[in-house]
Each structure stands twice: as C-alpha cells, then as structure tokens.
Amino acid sequence: MSAAATLAGAAPGLAPPWHSIPWRKVWRNVRRLQARIVKATQEGRWGKVHALVYLLTHSYSGRAAAIVRVTTNQGASTPGVDGDVWDTPELKAAAFSKLRRHGYQPQPLRRVYIPKSSDPSKLRPLGIPTLTDRTMQALYLLGLDPIEETTADANSYGFRSGRSCADALDQCHKILRKNHSATWVLEGDIKKLWRWARRRHRHKPAAWVKRKYFTGAGDDRWRFRGTIWDDEGRVHTVFLVRARDTTIRRHVKIHGAANPYDPAWELYFEERLATQMANTLTGRGTVRYLWMQQNGRCLVCGQPLTLADGWQVHHLRWRAYGGDDLISNLVLLHPNCHRQLHSEGLVVEKAASREGRS
C-alpha cells in the first residue's frame, strides 16, 4: 500500500466496529483530499484530479463518510427494493464491503406514491434507491462535488453546498432593480381562496361570498378575511397578510467564487454559517451560545454542526448521575457522534478543540 493511500485511510479487508471509528481522522482525510482536488482542478491538472478522486472514493475514510451521511439523514429508515435498512452498528460496519466499484450494479428503484405538496388530495410517484445505491452516490459525490464547485458558474445556485434560494433571489433583485431592467411582473393568486369560499357556500350568490370573505375598500377590495374567537368568546376579524406589510430583511448573497472545499474560504463560510444559524435556530438562546462556544464544531468528530446534519445536546455529567441542565453541563454533538459517545463510554471536554481544522 502506498504512503498516500495509507494516509488517506484506504479501506482494509475487515472494517472495524462502527462505534470505534475515529470520525475526526475520517473527516480530516476526506477534507484534505477534497482540498487537493480543488487545487488540482484550479491548476487544470486533470490527470491528478482523476487520481485523487479515485483515491478518495476507494479510501476507508471516504466510505465511512458516505455511510454515515446516508444512515443519519431523514430517509435512513426507508428501504429500497431489497428491503435492507442499516439500523444497527453491525449492519453499518458490514456496509463497507458493499461499496466496491468492481461488479457493482445499481438496483431498480422502489416506486411509492406520496401526496403532492401543492394538492395533498393527489399523489405523485417517488423512486427510492436501495441504501447501497444511495451510499455509492454519496461516495462519488465526495469526489465530484469539489470539481463542480470549482468549475461551476458563479451565479448558479441549485443543489450547491452553502447556496440557497435566497442567494438566487438576491441576484434577481440586483439584476431587476435597475432603471433599464426588465419590467416587474407581480401576480397574486386568489383563485383557490375564491373556489374554497364558493364550495363552502354553494347556494349563495357570488356577491354574497365576496362581501363575506373579501374586503371592499380601495386597494384592499380583494383581501381575504375571516373571523376567530378568543378565549373569552369574543369575535375578531383577521385578514390575510399583505406582502407589503412584511418587514424586509435583506439576505447577504453568497460570494460567487466561494468554494466550501477550498481551505482559503474556510473562515468566510464559518462566519456566514454563524449568521445563518443565529437567525434560524429554534431555541436560539442556549443552542446559539453552545454553538459559538464550540466554534461551530462537534466536540467528537470536529466537523461543523449544520442545520442539514442536525445536532443533539449531550450532558457532560449524565442526569442519571445528578447532572443538571445548566449551560456549563451541555455540549452540542452530531447525532451519530452522540450515539458513539454513549456506546463507547467516551468523554468529551467542554473546551472546543481546534484539531479538526488542520
């Protein structure tokens, strides 16, 4: 085995127990290889890029990272056509032997039907891959995503790490706000509300329905309204909120050249993530304080604590042993790291480690 392969954590013949995996080292190996892929892509050394992607997708660290991603997301308990669910540490460890390109053949999707978000009374088809296929996709995404992030258009936002619809909306605003920009087109859809009101009062004329559910003064003549009762039985009229009454909070668009796999952008993304989490976390007080105290990283694996990956609160001194819920006794951990800590009887320190940044 070459020194490079050893350093990258090449997959051994027998995977170790799931909860004994050193996640800090795993993610350090993955991030280092992804940073090398970015550098090689920027330099146009495509032979080097191909070699690094091969090394990452065949490494022990790459496979471990792909498995933990698939087994900790919301669809982890949903099987494909083979019926397999990797819901135990033993099954997760056994999954390493399934992630081999030689002889790999994807299986058909399991077709299920789920309600449409726009109309729950209607169903839409959904294809569910097997866990093996999902993990293979996640594995090769680790190698291909750094290339895509380095070569993609500065103003493309779909399915890109660290980018959102808000970034696209901000770019549209910047383009369309100028005097010579295209004309704004504003469309308000009240058809569904009108149909709902007519169905509820089938034997009433349209004029009666309009007087009951829609205001009739000035520019509010088609503003939907209804009535509610408070705890004391008093009736109050409520109105559909108008867009112009909503306070505007400008989103800071992501820098076009920002690359989450390039170490040069690390501080930028950390600061950006801190701002986003401070504005969106449920229970901002305690969780935000813990997140900032830990420099935004899990104290077990050293990787960022993000909204996508989720987190759990761990008590340094277990409550069963007299621990309390004070901030001094709490830390934030990834769900998988939290389970590993309890399974292996590990201990974490309150002080955040900087080891994962190297």
Side-chain angles (χ1 to χ4, degrees):
M1 185 182 297
S2 67
T6 303
L7 193 61
L14 181 63
W18 180 254
H19 284 315
S20 67
I21 294 175
W23 290 106
R24 185 181 296 272
K25 293 182 179 178
V26 163
W27 285 110
R28 183 190 304 155
N29 289 334
V30 170
R31 294 302 186 191
R32 185 179 65 248
L33 283 172
Q34 288 178 325
R36 293 176 63 189
I37 292 172
V38 169
K39 183 179 179 181
T41 302
Q42 292 170 339
E43 297 173 349
R45 302 173 61 189
W46 297 108
K48 184 71 171 180
V49 170
H50 184 273
L52 290 170
V53 171
Y54 181 92
L55 181 58
L56 175 55
T57 54
H58 288 72
S59 70
Y60 169 80
S61 294
R63 298 181 191 200
I67 294 172
V68 76
R69 173 174 178 168
V70 170
T71 56
T72 56
N73 64 22
Q74 293 182 348
S77 59
T78 305
V81 293
D82 58 1
D84 288 347
V85 176
W86 302 340
D87 54 0
T88 67
E90 293 75 19
L91 290 174
K92 294 174 185 177
F96 280 87
S97 62
K98 300 180 180 181
L99 302 181
R100 300 183 182 277
R101 190 175 69 174
H102 181 71
Y104 168 73
Q105 288 292 334
Q107 297 191 52
L109 301 177
R110 181 167 74 91
R111 181 60 61 92
V112 298
Y113 291 87
I114 61 174
K116 288 185 175 182
S117 58
S118 58
D119 186 355
S121 65
K122 298 181 180 180
L123 300 178
R124 69 176 180 88
L126 178 66
I128 302 176
T130 65
L131 277 172
T132 299
D133 291 338
R134 278 180 261 172
T135 309
M136 287 293 283
Q137 294 170 4
L139 176 60
Y140 279 86
L141 180 64
L142 292 174
L144 297 177
D145 205 34
I147 303 173
E148 188 270 342
E149 285 292 337
T150 307
T151 59
D153 185 270
N155 287 311
S156 65
Y157 304 97
F159 303 99
R160 292 185 62 184
S161 179
R163 300 176 183 237
S164 65
C165 292
D167 294 311
L169 288 172
D170 186 79
Q171 179 65 15
C172 290
H173 172 72
K174 291 177 179 176
I175 294 174
L176 297 172
R177 69 184 178 184
K178 301 174 182 178
N179 293 333
H180 59 274
S181 300
T183 304
W184 285 90
V185 178
L186 302 178
E187 179 181 359
D189 186 3
I190 62 172
K191 292 181 181 179
K192 290 185 179 179
L193 291 174
W194 177 256
R195 287 198 297 265
W196 172 83
R198 291 301 303 271
R199 283 198 301 268
R200 188 170 183 178
H201 305 282
R202 298 179 184 275
H203 304 295
K204 297 290 185 180
W208 184 94
V209 172
K210 182 179 183 300
R211 287 195 303 270
K212 181 175 179 61
Y213 289 104
F214 296 90
T215 56
D219 60 355
D220 276 348
R221 59 185 180 276
W222 282 105
R223 188 179 179 190
F224 189 76
R225 70 185 178 194
T227 55
I228 60 172
W229 286 261
D230 60 22
D231 295 337
E232 298 178 359
R234 292 174 297 189
V235 180
H236 300 273
T237 301
V238 293
F239 297 89
L240 186 67
V241 177
R242 295 173 297 193
R244 68 169 182 257
D245 294 335
T246 303
T247 302
I248 297 177
R249 185 175 62 187
R250 292 297 181 194
H251 173 77
V252 180
K253 189 177 79 72
I254 191 170
H255 194 290
N259 189 332
Y261 301 102
D262 189 343
W265 289 95
E266 179 73 13
L267 181 60
Y268 172 82
F269 277 103
E270 286 186 347
E271 294 175 346
R272 186 175 177 83
L273 181 61
T275 301
Q276 292 173 346
M277 296 188 78
N279 290 329
T280 59
L281 281 176
T282 303
R284 291 183 179 89
T286 299
V287 177
R288 182 186 178 213
Y289 181 88
L290 291 172
W291 186 85
M292 296 182 69
Q293 187 181 58
Q294 297 174 202
N295 295 314
R297 293 182 179 268
C298 173
L299 297 188
V300 173
C301 67
Q303 290 303 297
L305 291 160
T306 67
L307 294 173
D309 294 334
W311 60 86
Q312 292 177 355
V313 177
H314 173 69
H315 290 72
L316 298 176
R317 180 177 177 84
W318 294 9
R319 284 172 290 184
Y321 299 148
D324 54 36
D325 290 329
L326 297 178
I327 289 180
S328 58
N329 191 49
L330 303 178
V331 294
L332 298 179
L333 305 175
H334 287 126
N336 184 69
C337 296
H338 194 199
R339 290 192 293 266
Q340 180 183 22
L341 186 145
H342 281 271
S343 174
E344 297 294 299
L346 304 178
V347 176
V348 294
E349 300 293 336
K350 185 66 173 177
S353 171
R354 307 292 291 188
E355 181 183 357
R357 298 174 182 270
S358 60

mmCIF file of all heavy atoms in Angstrom, residues 237-257:
data_model
loop_
_atom_site.group_PDB
_atom_site.id
_atom_site.type_symbol
_atom_site.label_atom_id
_atom_site.label_comp_id
_atom_site.label_asym_id
_atom_site.label_seq_id
_atom_site.Cartn_x
_atom_site.Cartn_y
_atom_site.Cartn_z
ATOM 1 N N THR A 237 -62.066 39.965 13.657
ATOM 2 C CA THR A 237 -61.843 39.825 12.219
ATOM 3 C C THR A 237 -60.346 39.808 11.938
ATOM 4 O O THR A 237 -59.601 40.646 12.441
ATOM 5 C CB THR A 237 -62.487 40.988 11.442
ATOM 6 O OG1 THR A 237 -63.896 41.008 11.722
ATOM 7 C CG2 THR A 237 -62.274 40.831 9.946
ATOM 8 N N VAL A 238 -59.911 38.825 11.147
ATOM 9 C CA VAL A 238 -58.496 38.723 10.780
ATOM 10 C C VAL A 238 -58.382 38.783 9.271
ATOM 11 O O VAL A 238 -59.311 38.401 8.539
ATOM 12 C CB VAL A 238 -57.872 37.413 11.310
ATOM 13 C CG1 VAL A 238 -57.797 37.416 12.819
ATOM 14 C CG2 VAL A 238 -58.652 36.193 10.821
ATOM 15 N N PHE A 239 -57.243 39.291 8.776
ATOM 16 C CA PHE A 239 -57.045 39.481 7.341
ATOM 17 C C PHE A 239 -55.806 38.720 6.879
ATOM 18 O O PHE A 239 -54.856 38.533 7.644
ATOM 19 C CB PHE A 239 -56.879 40.971 7.012
ATOM 20 C CG PHE A 239 -58.089 41.802 7.331
ATOM 21 C CD1 PHE A 239 -58.251 42.366 8.581
ATOM 22 C CD2 PHE A 239 -59.070 42.003 6.371
ATOM 23 C CE1 PHE A 239 -59.371 43.130 8.877
ATOM 24 C CE2 PHE A 239 -60.188 42.770 6.645
ATOM 25 C CZ PHE A 239 -60.344 43.329 7.909
ATOM 26 N N LEU A 240 -55.836 38.315 5.621
ATOM 27 C CA LEU A 240 -54.672 37.696 5.016
ATOM 28 C C LEU A 240 -53.541 38.723 4.964
ATOM 29 O O LEU A 240 -53.740 39.871 4.550
ATOM 30 C CB LEU A 240 -55.009 37.226 3.589
ATOM 31 C CG LEU A 240 -53.933 36.414 2.866
ATOM 32 C CD1 LEU A 240 -53.745 35.061 3.538
ATOM 33 C CD2 LEU A 240 -54.325 36.207 1.402
ATOM 34 N N VAL A 241 -52.362 38.324 5.420
ATOM 35 C CA VAL A 241 -51.238 39.256 5.491
ATOM 36 C C VAL A 241 -50.815 39.675 4.090
ATOM 37 O O VAL A 241 -50.689 38.852 3.178
ATOM 38 C CB VAL A 241 -50.045 38.595 6.220
ATOM 39 C CG1 VAL A 241 -48.843 39.533 6.227
ATOM 40 C CG2 VAL A 241 -50.443 38.228 7.643
ATOM 41 N N ARG A 242 -50.605 40.980 3.914
ATOM 42 C CA ARG A 242 -50.146 41.500 2.624
ATOM 43 C C ARG A 242 -48.629 41.451 2.544
ATOM 44 O O ARG A 242 -47.930 41.638 3.546
ATOM 45 C CB ARG A 242 -50.627 42.942 2.447
ATOM 46 C CG ARG A 242 -52.132 43.083 2.368
ATOM 47 C CD ARG A 242 -52.544 44.535 2.369
ATOM 48 N NE ARG A 242 -52.159 45.201 3.617
ATOM 49 C CZ ARG A 242 -52.616 46.389 3.990
ATOM 50 N NH1 ARG A 242 -53.459 47.042 3.211
ATOM 51 N NH2 ARG A 242 -52.228 46.929 5.128
ATOM 52 N N ALA A 243 -48.128 41.206 1.362
ATOM 53 C CA ALA A 243 -46.679 41.130 1.184
ATOM 54 C C ALA A 243 -46.007 42.446 1.562
ATOM 55 O O ALA A 243 -44.912 42.456 2.132
ATOM 56 C CB ALA A 243 -46.341 40.757 -0.263
ATOM 57 N N ARG A 244 -46.657 43.566 1.269
ATOM 58 C CA ARG A 244 -46.036 44.859 1.547
ATOM 59 C C ARG A 244 -45.950 45.158 3.048
ATOM 60 O O ARG A 244 -45.236 46.067 3.466
ATOM 61 C CB ARG A 244 -46.794 45.976 0.831
ATOM 62 C CG ARG A 244 -48.191 46.249 1.337
ATOM 63 C CD ARG A 244 -48.714 47.546 0.721
ATOM 64 N NE ARG A 244 -50.039 47.909 1.176
ATOM 65 C CZ ARG A 244 -51.148 47.738 0.475
ATOM 66 N NH1 ARG A 244 -51.070 47.206 -0.735
ATOM 67 N NH2 ARG A 244 -52.324 48.101 0.945
ATOM 68 N N ASP A 245 -46.716 44.406 3.864
ATOM 69 C CA ASP A 245 -46.670 44.608 5.306
ATOM 70 C C ASP A 245 -45.573 43.789 5.983
ATOM 71 O O ASP A 245 -45.366 43.879 7.185
ATOM 72 C CB ASP A 245 -48.018 44.237 5.935
ATOM 73 C CG ASP A 245 -49.122 45.182 5.490
ATOM 74 O OD1 ASP A 245 -48.786 46.329 5.122
ATOM 75 O OD2 ASP A 245 -50.290 44.771 5.505
ATOM 76 N N THR A 246 -44.897 42.966 5.213
ATOM 77 C CA THR A 246 -43.839 42.114 5.760
ATOM 78 C C THR A 246 -42.521 42.880 5.790
ATOM 79 O O THR A 246 -42.100 43.450 4.779
ATOM 80 C CB THR A 246 -43.668 40.838 4.910
ATOM 81 O OG1 THR A 246 -44.925 40.147 4.844
ATOM 82 C CG2 THR A 246 -42.608 39.929 5.511
ATOM 83 N N THR A 247 -41.897 42.888 6.939
ATOM 84 C CA THR A 247 -40.619 43.586 7.079
ATOM 85 C C THR A 247 -39.554 42.924 6.206
ATOM 86 O O THR A 247 -39.392 41.705 6.217
ATOM 87 C CB THR A 247 -40.157 43.567 8.550
ATOM 88 O OG1 THR A 247 -41.163 44.178 9.358
ATOM 89 C CG2 THR A 247 -38.847 44.313 8.707
ATOM 90 N N ILE A 248 -38.853 43.736 5.448
ATOM 91 C CA ILE A 248 -37.821 43.207 4.551
ATOM 92 C C ILE A 248 -36.502 43.058 5.302
ATOM 93 O O ILE A 248 -36.016 44.012 5.911
ATOM 94 C CB ILE A 248 -37.625 44.131 3.335
ATOM 95 C CG1 ILE A 248 -38.909 44.189 2.505
ATOM 96 C CG2 ILE A 248 -36.458 43.649 2.475
ATOM 97 C CD1 ILE A 248 -38.831 45.141 1.330
ATOM 98 N N ARG A 249 -35.968 41.855 5.293
ATOM 99 C CA ARG A 249 -34.646 41.610 5.857
ATOM 100 C C ARG A 249 -33.762 41.102 4.722
ATOM 101 O O ARG A 249 -33.913 39.979 4.249
ATOM 102 C CB ARG A 249 -34.706 40.579 6.985
ATOM 103 C CG ARG A 249 -33.370 40.390 7.688
ATOM 104 C CD ARG A 249 -33.505 39.450 8.867
ATOM 105 N NE ARG A 249 -33.919 38.127 8.450
ATOM 106 C CZ ARG A 249 -34.247 37.157 9.300
ATOM 107 N NH1 ARG A 249 -34.237 37.385 10.593
ATOM 108 N NH2 ARG A 249 -34.616 35.967 8.861
ATOM 109 N N ARG A 250 -32.869 41.938 4.274
ATOM 110 C CA ARG A 250 -32.060 41.612 3.110
ATOM 111 C C ARG A 250 -31.114 40.448 3.391
ATOM 112 O O ARG A 250 -30.443 40.403 4.420
ATOM 113 C CB ARG A 250 -31.235 42.823 2.683
ATOM 114 C CG ARG A 250 -32.076 43.972 2.138
ATOM 115 C CD ARG A 250 -32.814 43.567 0.881
ATOM 116 N NE ARG A 250 -33.606 44.660 0.334
ATOM 117 C CZ ARG A 250 -34.534 44.516 -0.589
ATOM 118 N NH1 ARG A 250 -34.792 43.311 -1.063
ATOM 119 N NH2 ARG A 250 -35.212 45.549 -1.031
ATOM 120 N N HIS A 251 -31.107 39.534 2.459
ATOM 121 C CA HIS A 251 -30.201 38.390 2.537
ATOM 122 C C HIS A 251 -28.866 38.771 1.912
ATOM 123 O O HIS A 251 -28.814 39.418 0.874
ATOM 124 C CB HIS A 251 -30.810 37.207 1.781
ATOM 125 C CG HIS A 251 -29.900 36.035 1.662
ATOM 126 N ND1 HIS A 251 -29.656 35.163 2.697
ATOM 127 C CD2 HIS A 251 -29.162 35.584 0.610
ATOM 128 C CE1 HIS A 251 -28.821 34.224 2.298
ATOM 129 N NE2 HIS A 251 -28.502 34.456 1.034
ATOM 130 N N VAL A 252 -27.789 38.393 2.566
ATOM 131 C CA VAL A 252 -26.455 38.649 2.025
ATOM 132 C C VAL A 252 -26.087 37.497 1.095
ATOM 133 O O VAL A 252 -25.871 36.370 1.542
ATOM 134 C CB VAL A 252 -25.410 38.781 3.153
ATOM 135 C CG1 VAL A 252 -24.029 39.037 2.556
ATOM 136 C CG2 VAL A 252 -25.801 39.898 4.114
ATOM 137 N N LYS A 253 -26.064 37.783 -0.196
ATOM 138 C CA LYS A 253 -25.804 36.740 -1.190
ATOM 139 C C LYS A 253 -24.404 36.179 -1.047
ATOM 140 O O LYS A 253 -23.450 36.897 -0.757
ATOM 141 C CB LYS A 253 -25.995 37.288 -2.604
ATOM 142 C CG LYS A 253 -25.957 36.208 -3.696
ATOM 143 C CD LYS A 253 -26.222 36.805 -5.062
ATOM 144 C CE LYS A 253 -24.984 37.474 -5.618
ATOM 145 N NZ LYS A 253 -23.962 36.495 -6.037
ATOM 146 N N ILE A 254 -24.297 34.885 -1.269
ATOM 147 C CA ILE A 254 -23.006 34.221 -1.190
ATOM 148 C C ILE A 254 -22.067 34.753 -2.274
ATOM 149 O O ILE A 254 -22.494 35.111 -3.374
ATOM 150 C CB ILE A 254 -23.186 32.691 -1.334
ATOM 151 C CG1 ILE A 254 -21.889 31.954 -0.989
ATOM 152 C CG2 ILE A 254 -23.651 32.332 -2.731
ATOM 153 C CD1 ILE A 254 -22.058 30.460 -0.871
ATOM 154 N N HIS A 255 -20.800 34.840 -1.965
ATOM 155 C CA HIS A 255 -19.802 35.275 -2.938
ATOM 156 C C HIS A 255 -19.746 34.277 -4.078
ATOM 157 O O HIS A 255 -19.730 33.065 -3.858
ATOM 158 C CB HIS A 255 -18.439 35.378 -2.252
ATOM 159 C CG HIS A 255 -17.417 36.123 -3.050
ATOM 160 N ND1 HIS A 255 -16.862 35.621 -4.208
ATOM 161 C CD2 HIS A 255 -16.854 37.344 -2.867
ATOM 162 C CE1 HIS A 255 -15.991 36.486 -4.691
ATOM 163 N NE2 HIS A 255 -15.975 37.541 -3.902
ATOM 164 N N GLY A 256 -19.740 34.779 -5.296
ATOM 165 C CA GLY A 256 -19.796 33.898 -6.455
ATOM 166 C C GLY A 256 -18.690 32.870 -6.515
ATOM 167 O O GLY A 256 -18.893 31.744 -6.960
ATOM 168 N N ALA A 257 -17.499 33.224 -6.072
ATOM 169 C CA ALA A 257 -16.356 32.319 -6.160
ATOM 170 C C ALA A 257 -16.188 31.455 -4.919
ATOM 171 O O ALA A 257 -15.265 30.638 -4.862
ATOM 172 C CB ALA A 257 -15.078 33.133 -6.379
#
